[in-house]
Amino acid sequence: MQLNRQTFRALVNEGKAAHQAGDPSDACPYSRLGNAEQQFGYRYWTRGWTEARSAAEAAQPEPTATTGQ
């Protein structure tokens, strides 16, 4: 694996796709404690998963409070 921008974007998109597929964040196929390539994959896959989760949470409408009157 080359540690460059193209790989970075691919890993971020892979993480986003995993979130959309319903995978939990700990389903990352890369090791946080592995060699440099594994750590690179873990960092950016997780970033993509987190970005997708944040976007999904922001897209959900907030419930409005009612007074009950």
Side-chain angles (χ1 to χ4, degrees):
M1 172 189 315
Q2 292 186 352
L3 312 181
N4 57 31
R5 289 180 192 213
Q6 289 82 14
T7 307
F8 153 76
R9 290 303 322 153
L11 289 167
V12 169
N13 289 336
E14 184 180 325
K16 288 180 179 180
H19 180 271
Q20 291 174 348
D23 292 342
S25 63
D26 62 355
C28 179
Y30 304 98
S31 173
R32 180 174 66 95
L33 304 174
N35 61 21
E37 290 180 354
Q38 287 290 311
Q39 290 176 10
F40 183 85
Y42 176 83
R43 176 178 295 152
Y44 295 113
W45 186 96
T46 304
R47 179 181 287 184
W49 191 94
T50 304
E51 287 177 6
R53 181 190 66 194
S54 297
E57 289 174 352
Q60 294 177 352
E62 292 291 322
T64 56
T66 58
T67 60
Q69 294 179 356

